[in-house]
Amino acid sequence: MPVNLSLPAAAVVPGVSLSTCAAGIKANGSDDMVLFSITPGSTTVGVFTQNTFCAAPVTVCKSHLEEQKQGDIRALLVNSGNANAGTGQPGIEAAKQHCAALAEQLDCDLNQVLPYSTGVIGEQLPNAKMLSALPGLVKNLDDSLPAWEHAARGIMTTDTVPKLTSKTVTIDGQVLTITGMSKGAGMIEPNMATMLAYVFTDAKIPKNDLNEALKISVHKSFNSITVDSDTSTNDACMLTATGVGATLSAEHSQWGDFQNALDEVLLLLAQAIVRDAEGATKFITAEINGGASVEDCRAIGYAIANSPLVKTAMFASDANVGRLLMAIGKVGLAKLDPYQVNVSVNGLAVFENGLLHPDYSEHKGGAVMQADDITVAVDLGMGKHAASIYTSDLSHDYVTINAEYRT
Amino acid sequence: MPVNLSLPAAAVVPGVSLSTCAAGIKANGSDDMVLFSITPGSTTVGVFTQNTFCAAPVTVCKSHLEEQKQGDIRALLVNSGNANAGTGQPGIEAAKQHCAALAEQLDCDLNQVLPYSTGVIGEQLPNAKMLSALPGLVKNLDDSLPAWEHAARGIMTTDTVPKLTSKTVTIDGQVLTITGMSKGAGMIEPNMATMLAYVFTDAKIPKNDLNEALKISVHKSFNSITVDSDTSTNDACMLTATGVGATLSAEHSQWGDFQNALDEVLLLLAQAIVRDAEGATKFITAEINGGASVEDCRAIGYAIANSPLVKTAMFASDANVGRLLMAIGKVGLAKLDPYQVNVSVNGLAVFENGLLHPDYSEHKGGAVMQADDITVAVDLGMGKHAASIYTSDLSHDYVTINAEYRT
């Protein structure tokens, strides 16, 4: 069960139609292929995993995006159940073959189709099954809201719920929609990338501006979450502006409104991944203030968020101040003065002036820790920068899920 | 139960006497104070945690060692059950007070006494109890082997067994003994330091040479282990040369023999910590070869050793190649070519030329994973450097132990 996960309702984005099917990649027969079809003249940008063992579809995606200089992508083809990673040259060939078959059926160029995979690493894709599923996917393309909801389920692996949400922003009196979906519950510490996320808007936006907006939003959302410190081989976050709606660019006086709305959608989708993380019973925000730089704040935030000792204490609803201090200290920030550091948990001051706060008691700590959403606020006393990192706890279910993933 | 832990038998080191008692710091009444008394004219060196929130005794230790320029330390005073960390100025005062009281009773200078604490973080030491235990500790000093065994138990916290071992080396026809003990089972990723370890030799060795020898050994032992990626606030590894036996220095033709013996003792003690790690069911060696540098090899080794997904797969005896590739790739080594990387598990080739090894099967992988000791050997195909990192798996018991530590 996800932790306090309720996303604002989703709406369709004009210019996108979708279809989803069960091609037999997942052994349990649930949906495992999703096709996003995008209207001609749109602009698509993306960010990808930095993992050296990046999956075959990531390699193909990046090369197609580079070739297709206008970003006029016509289709995103996603399969779940198999990551097509660690599959060498045959994996690359398979991804290209699917793109080629789809390009023919959609009457577009090969490099206008982008492939994505997520699931088990190290196994070749079931090519025949996937190729034979394509005509059905093309035939069933649909631009209704249920098609979006269906797609958000089709990209899931160990997720327990689909993650789909929207935000609107009014530009020059015209309502624009931003709708996104994400998946992922484990192997989550995106590095300048994310798990699979697909975000669409009907705005018409120049490619460079769209790219810049995506990078800004991803930094504060998908690149600020961790479940288990492990960076997937398949992470991708895509943003498509279909161009059906209002025209917008970074020069526009309301560009900030668009960026804010995009930030909000991506943050909700990234947090949704953490709320639905493998075995999660708590949603934890490490909110770091008073840093000499954003990088320092992020390093401290990740040290807290990735510490198995902090995460098991959270699972036990234990306000374990010692482990929080340990995590802050292990980063080794050169000028950090322990006597200047303040720590609070859900508003309860726990550490101040190098000591437990005089009003703190384990009883009070235990009381605030009963909440499902926990914010550990740290003031480093070094400067004016801040960052927040989001994570889940480390529970028995996390071990069970990951020790039994393939058995 | 520790994983395949059997240490070579220990022997006493002339020039050291010990005593151990239960001062009432631990609630369960087991031993919690240990005194090492060292003969005058010895040389003691140490390395300490790099955690910014280092404990009060670490601060006092470092300042005493700096003041006592000859390294002529007369006593090490250790308590378990309370880390005296996150305790601010009162914690520093307490540590100094214990040193002062002991210095008076042993008739030595304040800076010839070094304090150590391990246990819960964030609580003040029970000063009165500890001060009143000192006369008994001094009175009961004993240089027999049982006193060493007793001390190795007295420094334990969540350890399930004591860790004490020896190695001898013959220099100029004279037998020298190196005996060490260590403790620690969680909050283990020492950073240029270690959990508590006390190592003694009867050799007479110049301070600089002793220091150098310790640094070399620690790098390959305590600084090559991880249980949970968390760096303790209290890590310390001490090495004392009592000078009762043969004289030795880095200029001696047999210095290499001494260094090797020291390396061996520290490696056994460091590995013993991992074998007795919280919840461990496997002892895992990440053996990285073919690196462009030792640092690259260590980074890859730690990425494997700290990955929760690798560690839960190990717990499940699952030769999960995908998670190993993910861990190798997430380090982001700039020139790593996935097609040049070879991976084997306990001698079974699993990955080669960017693909699963053609002879590999999950059945074969499952068979080699039945062993308690697992070696993941990775050849990076980039150069001639190598490093090994040692770790344990991530089990339900790890979560249980750390979610219930204080309850």
Side-chain angles (χ1 to χ4, degrees):
Chain A
M1 275 293 293
V3 182
N4 289 340
L5 175 54
S6 74
L7 292 168
V12 306
V13 174
V16 182
S17 55
L18 310 90
S19 68
T20 303
C21 74
I25 307 169
K26 287 179 181 164
N28 66 2
S30 56
D31 286 342
D32 50 23
M33 283 187 80
V34 175
L35 173 61
F36 299 85
S37 168
I38 304 165
T39 193
S42 66
T43 308
T44 296
V45 296
V47 291
F48 298 92
T49 183
Q50 300 292 306
N51 194 303
T52 314
F53 276 93
C54 76
V58 171
T59 304
V60 174
C61 251
K62 287 160 93 173
S63 105
H64 284 191
L65 273 173
E66 205 171 292
E67 286 167 33
Q68 181 46 243
K69 297 206 188 306
Q70 305 310 313
D72 185 6
I73 298 301
R74 296 290 310 284
L76 313 179
L77 178 66
V78 192
N79 76 271
S80 51
N82 183 319
N84 193 9
T87 48
Q89 206 53 43
I92 301 272
E93 296 308 328
K96 283 189 183 161
Q97 204 183 344
H98 303 155
C99 292
L102 196 55
E104 198 182 322
Q105 292 171 55
L106 294 175
D107 195 22
C108 65
D109 289 343
L110 172 63
N111 62 28
Q112 291 182 296
V113 180
L114 304 180
Y116 304 87
S117 298
T118 180
V120 174
I121 301 175
E123 291 173 16
Q124 299 293 334
L125 287 176
N127 271 337
K129 284 180 185 172
M130 292 177 65
L131 287 171
S132 66
L134 293 180
L137 282 171
V138 172
K139 182 165 161 274
N140 294 322
L141 281 167
D142 177 359
D143 59 7
S144 72
L145 187 58
W148 286 81
E149 291 164 348
H150 204 162
R153 287 190 178 277
I155 62 173
M156 287 164 53
T157 49
T158 56
D159 310 65
T160 69
V161 292
K163 289 128 190 142
L164 175 71
T165 192
S166 294
K167 175 93 188 156
T168 58
V169 55
T170 306
I171 304 287
D172 297 334
Q174 203 176 340
V175 176
L176 286 175
T177 302
I178 303 172
T179 298
M181 63 183 70
S182 63
K183 64 79 56 181
M187 204 176 277
I188 302 281
E189 182 177 316
N191 173 18
M192 302 312 290
T194 161
M195 278 309 288
L196 296 184
Y198 302 96
V199 183
F200 300 87
T201 176
D202 48 344
K204 184 169 182 63
I205 300 175
K207 190 176 172 192
N208 284 345
D209 294 347
L210 198 64
N211 217 359
E212 202 50 40
L214 177 63
K215 281 186 183 160
I216 289 169
S217 283
V218 163
H219 182 71
K220 292 184 281 189
S221 56
F222 291 104
N223 279 354
S224 294
I225 63 173
T226 179
V227 170
D228 47 21
S229 78
D230 280 336
T231 304
S232 157
T233 48
N234 290 56
D235 292 346
C237 178
M238 305 304 299
L239 172 61
T240 297
T242 64
V244 171
T247 298
L248 197 59
S249 79
E251 311 299 312
H252 196 287
S253 64
Q254 282 186 275
W255 179 250
D257 296 347
F258 176 80
Q259 181 76 60
N260 288 343
L262 184 65
D263 287 357
E264 214 171 301
V265 168
L266 264 69
L267 186 59
L268 284 170
L269 290 174
Q271 290 181 342
I273 284 179
V274 176
R275 291 187 184 281
D276 192 28
E278 289 166 351
T281 74
K282 301 270 188 199
F283 175 82
I284 301 149
T285 303
E287 181 189 299
I288 318 299
N289 290 291
S293 68
V294 170
E295 291 65 38
D296 279 4
C297 295
R298 288 172 61 85
I300 299 281
Y302 273 115
I304 292 170
N306 280 326
S307 160
L309 291 173
V310 170
K311 292 163 89 91
T312 46
M314 291 286 168
F315 173 52
S317 297
D318 172 10
N320 196 309
V321 186
R323 295 183 186 176
L324 292 172
L325 299 182
M326 173 283 299
I328 296 166
K330 80 175 178 172
V331 173
L333 289 188
K335 291 182 178 164
L336 182 66
D337 176 0
Y339 287 85
Q340 298 300 318
V341 173
N342 291 333
V343 182
S344 72
V345 176
N346 277 11
L348 175 72
V350 298
F351 188 82
E352 195 179 83
N353 299 325
L355 281 166
L356 286 188
H357 193 280
D359 296 339
Y360 176 75
S361 69
E362 290 213 13
H363 178 73
K364 287 182 187 170
V368 295
M369 287 295 300
Q370 296 309 309
D372 294 333
D373 278 33
I374 303 289
T375 295
V376 176
V378 178
D379 192 310
L380 297 174
M382 297 173 81
K384 295 189 175 302
H385 294 277
S388 287
I389 303 296
Y390 310 94
T391 194
S392 51
D393 55 337
L394 173 53
S395 68
H396 282 296
D397 281 355
Y398 178 87
V399 176
T400 301
I401 291 165
N402 284 299
E404 295 171 2
Y405 183 49
R406 302 199 305 178
T407 55
Chain B
M1 276 290 296
V3 182
N4 289 341
L5 176 54
S6 75
L7 292 167
V12 306
V13 173
V16 182
S17 53
L18 311 89
S19 68
T20 303
C21 74
I25 307 169
K26 287 179 181 164
N28 67 1
S30 56
D31 287 342
D32 50 24
M33 285 188 79
V34 176
L35 173 61
F36 299 84
S37 167
I38 304 165
T39 193
S42 66
T43 308
T44 295
V45 295
V47 290
F48 298 92
T49 183
Q50 301 291 305
N51 194 302
T52 314
F53 276 93
C54 77
V58 171
T59 304
V60 174
C61 250
K62 286 160 93 172
S63 104
H64 284 190
L65 273 174
E66 204 173 293
E67 286 168 32
Q68 181 46 243
K69 297 205 188 306
Q70 304 310 311
D72 185 6
I73 297 300
R74 296 293 306 288
L76 313 180
L77 179 65
V78 192
N79 76 271
S80 51
N82 182 319
N84 192 10
T87 49
Q89 205 52 42
I92 301 271
E93 296 306 328
K96 281 189 183 162
Q97 204 183 346
H98 302 156
C99 292
L102 195 55
E104 198 182 323
Q105 291 171 53
L106 294 175
D107 195 22
C108 66
D109 289 342
L110 172 63
N111 63 27
Q112 291 182 296
V113 180
L114 304 181
Y116 304 87
S117 296
T118 181
V120 175
I121 301 175
E123 292 174 15
Q124 299 293 335
L125 287 176
N127 271 338
K129 283 180 185 171
M130 291 178 67
L131 287 170
S132 66
L134 293 180
L137 282 172
V138 172
K139 182 163 162 272
N140 294 324
L141 282 166
D142 178 359
D143 58 8
S144 71
L145 186 58
W148 286 80
E149 291 163 349
H150 204 162
R153 287 191 176 275
I155 62 174
M156 286 163 55
T157 49
T158 56
D159 310 65
T160 69
V161 293
K163 289 127 190 143
L164 175 70
T165 193
S166 294
K167 175 91 187 158
T168 58
V169 54
T170 305
I171 304 288
D172 298 333
Q174 205 176 336
V175 176
L176 287 175
T177 302
I178 303 172
T179 298
M181 63 183 70
S182 63
K183 65 79 54 183
M187 203 175 280
I188 301 282
E189 182 176 314
N191 172 16
M192 302 309 292
T194 160
M195 278 308 290
L196 296 183
Y198 302 97
V199 184
F200 300 88
T201 176
D202 48 344
K204 184 170 182 60
I205 300 175
K207 190 177 172 191
N208 285 345
D209 294 347
L210 198 63
N211 218 357
E212 202 52 38
L214 177 62
K215 282 186 182 160
I216 288 169
S217 283
V218 163
H219 183 71
K220 292 184 282 190
S221 56
F222 291 104
N223 279 353
S224 295
I225 63 174
T226 179
V227 170
D228 47 22
S229 79
D230 281 337
T231 304
S232 157
T233 47
N234 290 56
D235 293 345
C237 178
M238 305 304 300
L239 172 61
T240 298
T242 65
V244 171
T247 299
L248 197 58
S249 79
E251 311 299 312
H252 196 287
S253 63
Q254 282 185 274
W255 179 251
D257 295 349
F258 176 79
Q259 181 77 59
N260 288 343
L262 184 66
D263 287 357
E264 216 170 299
V265 168
L266 264 68
L267 186 58
L268 283 170
L269 290 174
Q271 291 182 341
I273 284 178
V274 176
R275 290 187 183 281
D276 192 29
E278 289 166 352
T281 74
K282 301 269 189 201
F283 175 83
I284 301 150
T285 303
E287 182 189 297
I288 318 299
N289 291 291
S293 68
V294 170
E295 290 65 36
D296 280 3
C297 294
R298 287 172 61 84
I300 299 280
Y302 273 115
I304 292 171
N306 279 328
S307 160
L309 291 173
V310 170
K311 291 164 89 92
T312 45
M314 290 285 168
F315 172 52
S317 296
D318 172 10
N320 196 309
V321 185
R323 295 183 187 178
L324 292 172
L325 299 182
M326 174 281 300
I328 296 167
K330 78 174 179 174
V331 174
L333 290 188
K335 293 182 179 165
L336 182 65
D337 176 1
Y339 287 84
Q340 298 301 317
V341 173
N342 291 331
V343 182
S344 72
V345 175
N346 277 11
L348 175 73
V350 298
F351 187 82
E352 196 180 81
N353 299 326
L355 282 167
L356 286 189
H357 192 280
D359 296 341
Y360 176 76
S361 69
E362 290 214 12
H363 179 74
K364 286 182 186 170
V368 295
M369 286 296 300
Q370 295 309 308
D372 294 334
D373 279 33
I374 303 289
T375 296
V376 175
V378 177
D379 192 310
L380 298 174
M382 299 175 78
K384 294 187 175 303
H385 293 276
S388 287
I389 303 295
Y390 311 95
T391 194
S392 51
D393 56 338
L394 174 53
S395 68
H396 282 295
D397 280 355
Y398 178 87
V399 176
T400 301
I401 291 164
N402 284 300
E404 295 172 0
Y405 183 51
R406 302 197 307 178
T407 53

